[in-house]
Amino acid sequence: MLYPTHDEFERTGERIVASLGHNGWYADERVMKRLDGPQRGELFWCHVSGRALNPRAPHEAGIWAFEDLSSRRKLKLDLTAREREIAALLINGLTSKLIGKRLTISPRTVDVYRARLMRKVGAVTTPELVNKLLAG
């Protein structure tokens, strides 16, 4: 219910399990969906951190914290699910190769999505893209 789509929920879960450290800790920034209140259904940037209580069975139980980043980072663009994933990983400083590994897609596919994001925000370079994504 907190994810923009069920597919994003599934892919994020797979990515988290693959990235858990030996102690079960994980953190990232991603787009989430508000559940209630006057902004119900609105998408917003969120910092998620926490850990699986049993790293060998990460879906069994965990402790997670969600920090609303919307006061610092507005989501004004209409992005696809994959664009949101790639934007979040670009903001975290990952290269096309690392993003490709994390999402199990080719680095060239990441470059295609990066180019699409650059056109949407009017950026010429990746640092400019990241700055515009951070600014909203």
Side-chain angles (χ1 to χ4, degrees), residues 87-102:
L89 295 171
L90 286 169
I91 287 169
N92 288 329
L94 274 69
T95 64
S96 292
K97 187 174 182 178
L98 291 173
I99 292 170
K101 281 184 179 181
R102 182 132 345 147

Side-chain angles (χ1 to χ4, degrees), residues 49-109:
S49 61
R51 66 185 285 264
L53 295 178
N54 179 357
R56 291 184 184 90
H59 294 297
E60 185 177 277
I63 299 173
W64 298 95
F66 300 86
E67 178 189 3
D68 183 348
L69 300 176
S70 58
S71 66
R72 298 188 305 263
R73 184 182 307 163
K74 302 290 182 201
L75 183 66
K76 298 176 185 173
L77 300 170
D78 185 24
L79 303 177
T80 67
R82 185 61 91 184
E83 288 171 341
R84 285 191 291 269
E85 285 180 311
I86 290 173
L89 295 171
L90 286 169
I91 287 169
N92 288 329
L94 274 69
T95 64
S96 292
K97 187 174 182 178
L98 291 173
I99 292 170
K101 281 184 179 181
R102 182 132 345 147
L103 300 179
T104 62
I105 59 177
S106 78
R108 179 67 185 124
T109 301

Side-chain angles (χ1 to χ4, degrees), residues 30-42:
R30 67 180 82 136
V31 174
M32 301 293 284
K33 182 171 66 173
R34 297 189 193 283
L35 291 181
D36 208 358
Q39 299 168 322
R40 180 186 181 110
E42 175 185 87

